[in-house]
Amino acid sequence: MKLNQEQTQLVGLTMQLELKTKEYKMLCKELDDLKAQGIDPDDPMLINLRGRFLKNNQEIAEINKKLKKLQ
């Protein structure tokens, strides 16, 4: 089966979205672990984690935008 360019892009973006979703779940687990340790809200580790959450969220939004354009 041969895919056209649009189908190939759709598959690629879907795979990227799956990876970003897995990354989001790992970030959530990391946050839960930090909460269980009773981490201070101003701790640099928590601030770093927040930045990674924001970056992940932006990347997911961009992938979703591209997917909508294809459909």
Side-chain angles (χ1 to χ4, degrees):
M1 179 178 164
K2 188 172 182 179
L3 300 176
N4 65 31
Q5 183 179 5
E6 187 174 297
Q7 291 170 324
T8 303
Q9 288 177 338
L10 185 61
V11 169
L13 289 171
T14 302
M15 290 173 63
Q16 286 179 15
L17 188 58
E18 285 181 32
L19 288 174
K20 290 299 167 186
T21 301
K22 287 180 183 178
E23 182 181 334
Y24 177 81
K25 289 179 182 178
M26 288 188 323
L27 291 170
C28 287
K29 178 165 178 7
E30 190 174 336
L31 177 61
D32 288 341
D33 292 345
L34 290 175
K35 283 182 181 179
Q37 295 174 9
I39 193 165
D40 179 39
D42 294 326
D43 190 292
M45 288 176 56
L46 196 57
I47 294 170
N48 178 284
L49 183 60
R50 181 182 183 274
R52 294 187 341 216
F53 263 112
L54 290 173
K55 182 179 180 226
N56 180 267
N57 188 0
Q58 290 170 344
E59 291 169 342
I60 288 173
E62 186 63 33
I63 292 169
N64 279 326
K65 190 185 301 183
K66 289 177 183 178
L67 282 170
K68 285 181 183 179
K69 282 184 180 180
L70 283 176
Q71 295 173 352

